[in-house]
Amino acid sequence: MELDYTDKQRAFRAEIRAWLAEHVPKQPLPSFDTEEGFQAHRDWERTLFEGRWSMVTWPQELGGRGCDLIEWLIFEEEYWRAGAPLRVNQNGVFLLGPTIMDYGSDEQRQRFLPRIASGDDVWAQGWSEPNAGSDMAAIRTKAVRDGDHYVINGQKTWSTRAVWADWLFGLFRTDPESSRHHGLSFVLVPLDTPGITVRPIRQLNGETGFAEVFFDDVRVPVENRLGDEGAGWSVAMATAGFERGLMLRSPARFQATAAALVRLYQANREQADRDPAIRNAVLDAWLRAEAYALATYRTASRLIQGGEIGAEASTNKIFWSELDLKMHDAAQAILGAHGELVASVPREGAIGSWIDGFLFAQAGPIYAGTNEIQRNIIAERLLGMPR
Amino acid sequence: MELDYTDKQRAFRAEIRAWLAEHVPKQPLPSFDTEEGFQAHRDWERTLFEGRWSMVTWPQELGGRGCDLIEWLIFEEEYWRAGAPLRVNQNGVFLLGPTIMDYGSDEQRQRFLPRIASGDDVWAQGWSEPNAGSDMAAIRTKAVRDGDHYVINGQKTWSTRAVWADWLFGLFRTDPESSRHHGLSFVLVPLDTPGITVRPIRQLNGETGFAEVFFDDVRVPVENRLGDEGAGWSVAMATAGFERGLMLRSPARFQATAAALVRLYQANREQADRDPAIRNAVLDAWLRAEAYALATYRTASRLIQGGEIGAEASTNKIFWSELDLKMHDAAQAILGAHGELVASVPREGAIGSWIDGFLFAQAGPIYAGTNEIQRNIIAERLLGMPR
Amino acid sequence: MDFTFTEDQLALRANVRSVFMKEVAPELLRELWETDSGRSAELWQLVTEQGLTALSVPEEYGGLGLSDIDWVLMAQEVGYYGLTEPLIDTSWVGAALIAALPESAAAFKDVWLARIAHGEAKLAIGHPLNPLVENAHVADLLLLNHGDEVHAVPRAQVTLTAHASLDASRRLFAVEWTPSEATRLASANVGRTLWADALNRSVLAVAAQLSGLVTRVLDLAIDYTAERKQFGKPIGSFQAVKHLLADVAVELEFAKPALFRAAVSLANGHSLAGLHVSHARLALADTAALAARHTMQVHGAMGYTWELDLQIFMKRIWALAAVWGDKAYHLARVADHVLAESTVLDPSQTFAA
Amino acid sequence: MDFTFTEDQLALRANVRSVFMKEVAPELLRELWETDSGRSAELWQLVTEQGLTALSVPEEYGGLGLSDIDWVLMAQEVGYYGLTEPLIDTSWVGAALIAALPESAAAFKDVWLARIAHGEAKLAIGHPLNPLVENAHVADLLLLNHGDEVHAVPRAQVTLTAHASLDASRRLFAVEWTPSEATRLASANVGRTLWADALNRSVLAVAAQLSGLVTRVLDLAIDYTAERKQFGKPIGSFQAVKHLLADVAVELEFAKPALFRAAVSLANGHSLAGLHVSHARLALADTAALAARHTMQVHGAMGYTWELDLQIFMKRIWALAAVWGDKAYHLARVADHVLAESTVLDPSQTFAA
């Protein structure tokens, strides 16, 4: 057990810190749930790519740096510390990218990965359907084989980034006779294919972070399938594992919020200390953000030594989503009567005002598998309790 | 809505307060889970009876005072305020007594009620069996009709007071072909009947508040059945309703604990305020004890006007049991390193030291139907959610 | 001792409820979000016709002379249906404040209480506990606090700056104004009591609205979880979903009696009315925060959408969290009582005046 | 940067675990409850044979020279199996304190470190944070604090008064003694650092035991809920029961890394070792309280019995809640760091020395 950074790691931190200091936009970008903001964030992805910072864990030949997970954590720490923009292509960089590396053909790797890295292709998710939310195996949208193509009919929903994205990845039922998680395939779909209709979903804050996607005889070449036909479920499980696990929410994100919360408390201490429990909530937030970072370093160390990610992906999901709620509850308690005001209390970093963060935090225990589902998984897989 | 006490109610309060001031033992009685303590508590029941205070809601002709529920609440408030002994015959006075009044024959009323009132018969509960806990309808202990008798074979467990009590009431399967809540009968069993073996169960604190009761060809006259043969479930549900509901835990009990907690906090304020959240916990305890009293007055008012007790019995059970846990957690936090010491921190009132109360509070969310079962009941019966 | 509402009170509530159910639909609330004023002349006429504007105006001024106990039931319905017309500030809190003005303001009382009763005036109330004044833009008259003095200022004499709330129904304004002899209705000495009462009444009104809001989000969640199916059955049949909503039901069951006691204490001028009001406020704010969280959770991603009505009521819950005093403020009032050496902590004091 | 244990460390743990599993059975713990001393010569011999008494005694004194990082794994097992021999106070905290004594105490070190390594001495430690001294009745030597001075007092020179804990395994004593030149091992100036380290090490030991205890009660609960049936199926298949235990598993998953970081910081003399130790202690105390409550709940009434082993470990959890500093004490240490103006709150500082 060795908890010091190596000289190489320190140098890496210094390099990214310096680069970010120079390149991070001085003014926050507009929300990527607007057309203008989406474009600005895509441009930022290009800037990152030019600095070879867009996907540091990817191999050198793909424009990455071949970083291990510890370096990735350092990168994320500096990224959030600098208040750099949110990653509009998170779906591509953190979810699809690693999945293609593991399950894609050489041709697919060549075709898709560079355009993810450069921000040329921004990706949307296509998991959920109206009747397949927590119960993802209930997917019904069909992809019927017709020669060299699949013909897709049906509907996806909660498709993150789909309003402005270029491509969508998702699970489709290629065997019409199948049920549950059999007979599904993982298919990549250009969102400009004829027959696709994207209907934005307005969310709590009035913006449109996700969309419904309707498929009406949409023809997609068979070579867009990732993995074997009918083997989509296991491919998707790998992707979902990345999602819930290490990549979706890096600790640095919550450490940034916790640090901002401490500063908010310090700046309003007289107001805040009228309720003596607020100090405890602030300290607890900081400790938990720290604990989340420690657990991630521990998992990263284990993975570097050849371990595999397991049910701790589910414990992560519960921990960060509940921490995020608690931190924003504490912030609202400090802000008191000013808490409900939309525009008045911006906070440092990229997440916008506290009330924006408060609304966004509400979604945490729901997306990427509700926390109830995660608790089932923990009980059954980590603790071995009966189904 | 009229939230003042009447002159008659005020006079009643003054009367019981004066009587208690004169009669409550100056030294706490030994625990009624010991032979000596059981006898001392039975004597106290007799003292109460002589003062016509043993069951104030019972009719005058049975030695009660015909009090309504508001007067009962006033009685309880004064009883707990005076730190009077726990009621060793709670099962008889609060659970079986009202059940006999509703479901018993005249002969049964004559036979059992006066001896409950006087403390001559102390009653044990016989609900649970080893495989029928939360799932009470899984009862298997048989009572087979043989002429004028039932012959009982089987086992009960968690039988409160059974170690020293005179009688046991419980549910037995009188129709051997039946299943679930059909074919059960409510039977009253003298604990000195041949064939009964009582094996005390040691609980967390090392004492024996309940017991296993084994029945080996135990013959009980048919006239000991309460209600019709096979109708035991509905009789028991009425009893269990009293148990979870108004009678089992009067608000005054928790108000007494909350007041003691406030005094503990005030006496150790410097120590306690090192953790600023403790003040909030103390205030929250006081408010919740107050809320529990208010809700009970509201239910009592409704019942007096002819309403019926419903799923709020389940909300009560959850509320007081969680409140009791929280109050004792707060007390332990105030006591700090002294909290684990068994003998050193007695508290006013009848419940013994804080650590005794802490251990006892652990049972609250479990007995009389676990809080998980209560939440199911609330969801299904109060909120109308699907089974 | 009788902790139940009268038949009359329950009948009045049933009537208002059936009217609101028909006329204050979520679609209307959404439409009003998009309008400049956010307020509706039709809704105001509706509450006037229902007699709500006259509810607690004394009979000698043409009102119905009802009490805080009647109002608390109305305010629950206001919360349940999400009404944001300035009814409570005008016809409950404002009317009560004006009715309590000393004899010296007799002429003012005559004019304004009659207008209020007839639905011809809207009021807004400004108090240091709230940084902004709700509904100032549609008020004919603003009752404003100036170091405990009570001032009555026509809208024409104030300058308003709008501030957006996360709840688009709430219209909040910073108010610039100049106190003068002409605007002063009551001195600081007299005003102190008037403001204390207005504060308690406003806090009670917030608590009552939260009570209605909790019931509303619970109702929405119960309906949704009965219809929505996953894994082949309604999600409402899963224990985890049941327990999330049962938790809310338990808290509500024990918050409502505190609300009703507070109404009685306030109506009767009970010396502990402030304590009782703060108790109700604390219990309902906690319950409402839990209700928003748990009902959102059982809605899954649907709860996060603009499309479902849940958002309307969740946002109201969040927005009301610190209106008329935050948790710290009300907890301090409780501490002042409970921790005072002179306080007798004895159950016989639960209702004592 | 490598946040994993070495093969050697894990092998040592596996060995100790298999020995404890066989030799430190719940039945033995129950038997010891009934004895006067509550301690067992056989168990002490066992830990000596396993090399645990020599674990962190420096090699030059005949020990194994291992570190706090090795010890934290051992202390988890001590917690899991409920061992209450004075092993941690003697061979970890006590040995480290004695090893750190200045050269002036060389003769004392020679004698006592050798005795400790060979299992020939038991120590008890007295510090103002704890009102009572554990295991004083079986200690050959008491290390006692006197205004930061370190005193070493043979048991014959102290007067003991026993106090019962709710955990019958814990034997606690008020200690009367007279500090003198003869008993003083280190001045206040030197002692201050020694005591600070002893305190941090003891806090870490408590946190590690709590970690083991949480795992133990979880294991008991998982077994029980798999076997116990209600409504025709194992209660462990009910969602409410699953979620009660999953909640504990989540908290434990994020408390353990804090525990291990604290061990590394302490072993390396990290300037923030105290903060890291307090973090681990807070996280594990909260986790353990939750674990006791939730595992008790899923056991139903059985959990409330003397008969089941659950009580042995729950009571230990409750008893350790405020040993070597309560929540307030450790939270204050966190506040001193986090809220200091001079502190840089930056993720690059997570492991910084």
Side-chain angles (χ1 to χ4, degrees):
Chain A
M1 193 163 296
E2 172 55 62
L3 299 186
D4 271 342
Y5 294 106
T6 61
D7 288 343
K8 176 160 168 278
Q9 288 163 341
R10 288 178 206 277
F12 177 77
R13 185 189 292 281
E15 187 185 354
I16 173 64
R17 186 176 287 198
W19 187 88
L20 288 166
E22 202 170 322
H23 290 85
V24 168
K26 298 299 166 242
Q27 292 301 318
L29 304 184
S31 162
F32 55 35
D33 293 333
T34 63
E35 185 167 13
E36 173 204 8
F38 192 89
Q39 190 53 49
H41 280 80
R42 193 200 286 267
D43 291 345
W44 169 248
E45 290 290 319
R46 293 207 171 98
T47 307
L48 280 170
F49 177 67
E50 283 156 18
R52 284 207 305 132
W53 295 112
S54 72
M55 349 63 59
V56 294
T57 58
W58 290 23
Q60 303 253 6
E61 61 270 26
L62 290 168
R65 292 171 177 251
C67 286
D68 67 15
L69 286 171
I70 300 294
E71 286 164 328
W72 176 73
L73 286 170
I74 293 169
F75 169 80
E76 286 282 310
E77 286 171 359
E78 293 303 317
Y79 194 86
W80 285 95
R81 180 183 177 280
L86 290 173
R87 300 296 300 270
V88 70
N89 205 12
Q90 170 174 288
N91 290 328
V93 176
F94 297 139
L95 301 183
L96 183 63
T99 312
I100 291 180
M101 289 181 214
D102 284 1
Y103 291 88
S105 64
D106 281 348
E107 189 271 337
Q108 287 172 327
R109 282 193 275 267
Q110 291 303 322
R111 181 175 162 209
F112 293 110
L113 293 176
R115 294 183 57 86
I116 291 174
S118 64
D120 287 336
D121 290 344
V122 177
W123 284 80
Q125 283 189 34
W127 299 134
S128 300
E129 298 183 4
N131 290 300
S134 289
D135 183 15
M136 210 164 89
I139 280 172
R140 286 194 219 156
T141 299
K142 282 182 201 152
V144 177
R145 186 72 172 259
D146 177 24
D148 292 344
H149 284 75
Y150 289 114
V151 181
I152 304 181
N153 279 287
Q155 181 194 346
K156 293 285 178 185
T157 190
W158 312 123
S159 180
T160 323
R161 300 287 85 75
V163 182
W164 313 105
D166 309 291
W167 283 76
L168 172 144
F169 60 82
L171 275 185
F172 300 89
R173 194 160 293 283
T174 43
D175 176 357
E177 303 297 303
S178 66
S179 69
R180 309 297 300 160
H181 35 271
H182 305 288
L184 299 170
S185 297
F186 195 111
V187 182
L188 313 177
V189 185
L191 278 167
D192 59 0
T193 315
I196 288 180
T197 310
V198 174
R199 203 181 76 176
I201 298 174
R202 271 181 101 181
Q203 56 200 31
L204 273 191
N205 63 1
E207 294 182 349
T208 52
F210 25 61
E212 293 174 291
V213 182
F214 299 88
F215 300 84
D216 181 17
D217 283 339
V218 173
R219 295 182 69 85
V220 179
V222 167
E223 65 254 33
N224 283 16
R225 193 189 64 230
L226 205 60
D228 291 338
E229 185 167 292
W233 183 261
S234 58
V235 183
M237 285 301 97
T239 312
F242 294 129
E243 179 176 28
R244 278 201 303 276
L246 224 46
M247 291 295 190
L248 179 64
R249 292 287 171 256
S250 70
R253 174 178 192 140
F254 302 102
Q255 289 177 294
T257 305
L261 181 63
V262 171
R263 286 190 291 270
L264 181 71
Y265 171 71
Q266 284 167 326
N268 299 277
R269 190 143 183 185
E270 203 177 331
Q271 156 90 1
D273 281 344
R274 295 176 310 124
D275 176 357
I278 288 178
R279 187 205 70 150
N280 282 18
V282 170
L283 295 175
D284 189 57
W286 187 80
L287 289 174
R288 283 182 169 259
E290 189 94 343
Y292 186 53
L294 296 172
T296 311
Y297 271 93
R298 195 166 165 239
T299 303
S301 297
R302 208 167 49 68
L303 295 180
I304 287 170
Q305 299 196 358
E308 286 189 8
I309 198 153
E312 67 263 41
S314 292
T315 64
N316 277 4
K317 167 75 209 303
I318 291 173
F319 197 80
W320 65 248
S321 61
E322 297 191 344
L323 168 60
D324 209 30
L325 282 173
K326 280 182 200 157
M327 289 197 289
H328 285 92
D329 283 346
Q332 290 298 111
I334 294 171
L335 293 170
H338 296 275
E340 69 168 303
L341 304 180
V342 170
S344 63
V345 196
R347 95 182 170 206
E348 313 113 288
I351 306 179
S353 70
W354 283 105
I355 191 71
D356 287 342
F358 175 84
L359 291 180
F360 187 67
Q362 303 302 320
I366 290 166
Y367 70 96
T370 66
N371 285 11
E372 284 70 37
I373 299 290
Q374 306 305 337
R375 287 193 169 86
N376 288 351
I377 294 173
I378 292 165
E380 290 161 15
R381 301 195 202 152
L382 192 69
L383 305 183
M385 295 176 75
R387 272 171 189 275
Chain B
M1 195 164 293
E2 172 56 61
L3 300 185
D4 272 342
Y5 295 106
T6 61
D7 288 343
K8 178 160 168 276
Q9 288 164 340
R10 288 178 206 276
F12 178 77
R13 186 189 292 281
E15 187 186 354
I16 173 65
R17 186 176 288 198
W19 188 89
L20 288 166
E22 200 170 322
H23 291 86
V24 169
K26 300 297 168 243
Q27 292 300 318
L29 304 183
S31 161
F32 55 36
D33 293 334
T34 63
E35 185 167 11
E36 172 203 9
F38 192 88
Q39 189 54 49
H41 280 80
R42 192 201 286 268
D43 292 344
W44 168 248
E45 289 290 319
R46 292 207 172 100
T47 306
L48 280 171
F49 177 67
E50 284 155 17
R52 284 205 305 132
W53 295 112
S54 72
M55 350 65 58
V56 294
T57 57
W58 289 23
Q60 302 255 5
E61 61 271 24
L62 291 168
R65 291 172 178 249
C67 287
D68 68 14
L69 287 170
I70 301 294
E71 286 164 329
W72 177 72
L73 287 169
I74 293 170
F75 169 80
E76 286 282 310
E77 287 171 0
E78 293 303 317
Y79 194 86
W80 285 95
R81 181 183 176 280
L86 291 172
R87 301 296 301 270
V88 70
N89 205 13
Q90 170 174 286
N91 290 328
V93 176
F94 296 140
L95 301 183
L96 182 64
T99 312
I100 290 180
M101 290 181 215
D102 284 0
Y103 291 89
S105 63
D106 279 348
E107 189 271 336
Q108 286 172 325
R109 281 194 275 266
Q110 289 303 322
R111 183 176 162 209
F112 293 110
L113 293 176
R115 294 181 59 85
I116 292 175
S118 64
D120 287 336
D121 289 344
V122 176
W123 285 79
Q125 283 189 37
W127 298 135
S128 300
E129 299 183 5
N131 288 302
S134 289
D135 183 13
M136 209 165 91
I139 280 172
R140 285 195 220 155
T141 300
K142 281 182 201 151
V144 177
R145 187 73 173 257
D146 178 23
D148 292 343
H149 283 75
Y150 289 114
V151 181
I152 304 180
N153 279 286
Q155 183 195 345
K156 293 287 178 184
T157 190
W158 312 123
S159 179
T160 324
R161 299 289 84 74
V163 182
W164 313 106
D166 308 292
W167 283 76
L168 172 145
F169 61 82
L171 275 186
F172 300 89
R173 194 160 293 283
T174 42
D175 177 357
E177 304 298 303
S178 65
S179 69
R180 306 299 300 161
H181 34 272
H182 305 288
L184 298 170
S185 298
F186 195 112
V187 183
L188 313 178
V189 186
L191 279 167
D192 59 1
T193 315
I196 289 181
T197 310
V198 175
R199 203 181 77 176
I201 299 174
R202 271 181 102 180
Q203 57 200 30
L204 274 190
N205 62 1
E207 295 183 351
T208 53
F210 23 62
E212 294 174 291
V213 182
F214 298 88
F215 299 83
D216 182 16
D217 284 338
V218 173
R219 296 181 66 85
V220 178
V222 167
E223 65 254 32
N224 282 16
R225 192 190 66 230
L226 204 59
D228 291 338
E229 186 167 292
W233 184 261
S234 58
V235 183
M237 285 301 97
T239 312
F242 294 129
E243 180 176 27
R244 279 201 303 275
L246 223 46
M247 291 296 193
L248 180 64
R249 292 285 171 258
S250 70
R253 174 176 193 142
F254 303 101
Q255 289 177 295
T257 305
L261 181 63
V262 171
R263 286 191 291 270
L264 180 72
Y265 171 71
Q266 283 168 326
N268 298 277
R269 190 143 183 185
E270 202 177 333
Q271 155 90 2
D273 281 343
R274 294 176 311 125
D275 177 356
I278 288 179
R279 188 205 69 150
N280 282 18
V282 170
L283 296 175
D284 189 56
W286 188 81
L287 289 174
R288 283 181 168 259
E290 190 94 342
Y292 185 53
L294 295 173
T296 311
Y297 270 93
R298 195 165 164 238
T299 303
S301 297
R302 208 167 47 68
L303 295 180
I304 286 171
Q305 298 194 358
E308 287 189 8
I309 199 153
E312 68 260 41
S314 292
T315 63
N316 276 6
K317 167 75 210 304
I318 291 173
F319 196 81
W320 65 248
S321 61
E322 297 191 343
L323 168 60
D324 208 31
L325 282 173
K326 282 183 198 155
M327 290 197 289
H328 286 93
D329 283 346
Q332 291 297 110
I334 294 171
L335 293 170
H338 296 275
E340 68 168 305
L341 304 180
V342 171
S344 65
V345 196
R347 95 183 171 209
E348 313 112 288
I351 307 180
S353 71
W354 284 104
I355 191 72
D356 287 341
F358 175 84
L359 292 180
F360 186 67
Q362 303 301 319
I366 291 166
Y367 69 95
T370 68
N371 285 11
E372 284 70 36
I373 298 290
Q374 307 304 338
R375 286 192 171 87
N376 288 352
I377 293 173
I378 292 165
E380 291 162 15
R381 301 196 201 151
L382 192 69
L383 305 182
M385 295 176 75
R387 273 171 188 278
Chain C
M1 176 65 62
D2 174 18
F3 208 153
T4 60
F5 289 96
T6 64
E7 300 277 333
D8 284 353
Q9 287 165 335
L10 296 176
L12 177 63
R13 178 175 71 180
N15 182 53
V16 167
R17 189 178 279 180
S18 71
V19 171
F20 280 9
M21 192 183 306
K22 215 171 109 216
E23 305 293 343
V24 194
E27 301 73 46
L28 176 60
L29 300 179
R30 286 172 186 270
E31 278 172 33
L32 292 173
W33 282 357
E34 312 295 336
T35 64
D36 277 348
S37 79
R39 299 293 158 258
S40 155
E42 290 73 23
L43 279 181
W44 188 255
Q45 197 184 335
L46 181 82
V47 297
T48 305
E49 282 165 5
Q50 291 302 313
L52 294 176
T53 52
L55 207 65
S56 60
V57 172
E59 292 178 65
E60 68 243 57
Y61 296 98
L64 299 172
L66 296 182
S67 80
D68 297 317
I69 304 172
D70 304 276
W71 259 115
V72 82
L73 291 177
M74 296 303 104
Q76 283 184 307
E77 300 308 310
V78 165
Y80 188 93
Y81 290 99
L83 188 78
T84 43
E85 292 302 315
L87 177 66
I88 284 170
D89 284 349
T90 301
S91 309
W92 186 9
V93 182
L97 191 154
I98 293 173
L101 284 170
E103 199 44 43
S104 58
F108 179 89
K109 289 164 76 167
D110 280 344
V111 172
W112 284 97
L113 286 174
R115 284 191 191 163
I116 290 171
H118 297 122
E120 290 160 5
K122 294 173 189 163
L123 269 54
I125 298 178
H127 184 277
L129 265 187
N130 300 314
L132 301 172
V133 180
E134 192 184 359
N135 289 324
H137 63 315
V138 294
D140 300 291
L141 194 70
L142 291 85
L143 297 178
L144 299 170
N145 175 303
H146 178 64
D148 283 341
E149 291 176 359
V150 182
H151 288 255
V153 191
R155 189 172 74 243
Q157 292 175 28
V158 303
T159 308
L160 302 180
T161 313
H163 288 259
S165 164
L166 93 145
D167 173 2
S169 290
R170 282 170 54 77
R171 302 302 168 99
L172 302 172
F173 299 88
V175 176
E176 285 174 76
W177 63 292
T178 313
S180 71
E181 261 319 299
T183 59
R184 189 170 64 209
L185 268 185
S187 67
N189 229 5
V190 172
R192 199 162 294 122
T193 313
L194 295 175
W195 280 118
D197 280 351
L199 187 155
N200 282 334
R201 206 156 269 126
S202 297
V203 173
L204 182 67
V206 171
Q209 288 177 78
L210 288 170
S211 170
L213 284 159
V214 171
T215 307
R216 183 60 171 266
V217 295
L218 257 185
D219 283 352
L220 290 171
I222 292 164
D223 286 352
Y224 181 80
T225 56
E227 279 168 27
R228 169 78 172 166
K229 287 184 181 157
Q230 290 279 278
F231 305 101
K233 48 184 183 171
I235 60 170
S237 62
F238 288 99
Q239 220 180 8
V241 172
K242 282 183 185 172
H243 289 194
L244 285 171
L245 299 188
D247 285 343
V248 178
V250 171
E251 291 299 312
L252 183 59
E253 195 72 18
F254 291 88
K256 282 201 288 194
L259 177 69
F260 300 148
R261 176 181 64 168
V264 173
S265 295
L266 194 60
N268 295 341
H270 195 302
S271 62
L272 295 181
L275 172 74
H276 295 168
V277 162
S278 282
H279 178 177
R281 177 74 166 89
L282 287 164
L284 277 156
D286 282 352
T287 304
L290 187 79
R293 178 87 278 286
H294 284 195
T295 57
M296 164 98 194
Q297 186 68 16
V298 304
H299 273 81
M302 288 303 293
Y304 200 65
T305 62
W306 194 265
E307 185 185 339
L308 256 68
D309 293 335
L310 182 68
Q311 63 136 330
I312 301 174
F313 305 99
M314 278 197 312
K315 286 177 178 171
R316 183 73 43 84
I317 285 173
W318 292 327
L320 290 178
V323 172
W324 286 102
D326 59 7
K327 182 177 177 182
Y329 177 84
H330 293 290
L331 212 47
R333 299 217 301 182
V334 173
D336 286 346
H337 172 76
V338 174
L339 303 180
E341 288 298 330
S342 58
T343 300
V344 179
L345 294 175
D346 180 329
S348 66
Q349 302 301 304
T350 307
F351 303 101
Chain D
M1 176 66 60
D2 175 16
F3 208 153
T4 59
F5 289 95
T6 64
E7 300 277 332
D8 284 354
Q9 287 165 335
L10 296 175
L12 177 63
R13 178 176 70 178
N15 183 51
V16 166
R17 189 178 279 182
S18 70
V19 171
F20 281 9
M21 192 183 307
K22 215 172 108 214
E23 306 292 343
V24 194
E27 300 74 46
L28 175 61
L29 300 179
R30 285 172 186 270
E31 277 172 33
L32 291 173
W33 282 358
E34 311 295 333
T35 65
D36 277 349
S37 80
R39 299 294 158 258
S40 154
E42 290 73 24
L43 280 180
W44 188 256
Q45 197 184 333
L46 181 82
V47 298
T48 304
E49 283 165 4
Q50 291 302 313
L52 294 177
T53 52
L55 207 66
S56 60
V57 172
E59 293 178 64
E60 67 245 54
Y61 297 97
L64 301 171
L66 296 182
S67 81
D68 297 316
I69 304 172
D70 304 276
W71 259 115
V72 82
L73 290 177
M74 296 302 105
Q76 283 185 306
E77 300 308 312
V78 165
Y80 188 93
Y81 291 99
L83 188 78
T84 42
E85 293 301 315
L87 176 67
I88 285 171
D89 284 350
T90 300
S91 309
W92 186 8
V93 182
L97 192 155
I98 292 173
L101 284 171
E103 198 46 43
S104 58
F108 179 89
K109 288 165 76 167
D110 279 345
V111 173
W112 285 97
L113 287 173
R115 284 190 191 164
I116 289 171
H118 298 122
E120 291 160 3
K122 294 172 188 162
L123 268 55
I125 297 178
H127 185 277
L129 263 188
N130 299 315
L132 302 172
V133 180
E134 193 184 358
N135 290 324
H137 63 314
V138 294
D140 299 291
L141 192 71
L142 289 86
L143 296 178
L144 299 171
N145 174 302
H146 179 65
D148 282 341
E149 292 177 357
V150 182
H151 288 254
V153 190
R155 189 172 72 243
Q157 292 174 28
V158 302
T159 309
L160 303 181
T161 313
H163 289 260
S165 164
L166 93 145
D167 174 2
S169 290
R170 282 169 55 76
R171 302 300 168 100
L172 303 172
F173 299 87
V175 176
E176 286 173 78
W177 64 292
T178 312
S180 70
E181 261 321 299
T183 60
R184 190 170 64 208
L185 268 186
S187 68
N189 228 6
V190 173
R192 199 163 295 124
T193 312
L194 296 175
W195 281 118
D197 280 353
L199 187 156
N200 282 333
R201 206 156 267 125
S202 297
V203 173
L204 182 67
V206 171
Q209 288 177 80
L210 287 170
S211 171
L213 284 159
V214 170
T215 306
R216 182 59 172 264
V217 295
L218 256 186
D219 283 353
L220 290 171
I222 291 164
D223 286 352
Y224 181 79
T225 57
E227 280 169 26
R228 167 77 172 167
K229 286 184 182 155
Q230 293 278 278
F231 305 102
K233 48 185 183 173
I235 61 171
S237 63
F238 289 98
Q239 220 180 9
V241 173
K242 281 182 185 173
H243 289 196
L244 285 170
L245 300 187
D247 285 342
V248 178
V250 171
E251 291 298 310
L252 183 60
E253 195 73 18
F254 290 89
K256 282 200 288 193
L259 176 69
F260 300 147
R261 175 181 66 168
V264 173
S265 295
L266 193 60
N268 295 342
H270 195 302
S271 64
L272 295 181
L275 172 75
H276 294 169
V277 161
S278 284
H279 178 176
R281 177 71 166 89
L282 287 164
L284 277 155
D286 283 350
T287 303
L290 187 79
R293 177 87 278 286
H294 283 195
T295 57
M296 164 96 195
Q297 186 68 16
V298 304
H299 273 80
M302 289 304 292
Y304 199 67
T305 62
W306 194 264
E307 185 185 339
L308 257 67
D309 293 336
L310 182 68
Q311 63 137 331
I312 301 174
F313 306 99
M314 279 196 312
K315 286 177 178 171
R316 183 72 44 84
I317 285 173
W318 292 328
L320 290 178
V323 172
W324 285 101
D326 59 8
K327 181 176 177 183
Y329 177 84
H330 293 290
L331 212 48
R333 299 217 300 182
V334 173
D336 286 346
H337 172 74
V338 174
L339 302 180
E341 288 298 331
S342 57
T343 301
V344 180
L345 295 174
D346 181 327
S348 65
Q349 302 303 304
T350 307
F351 303 101

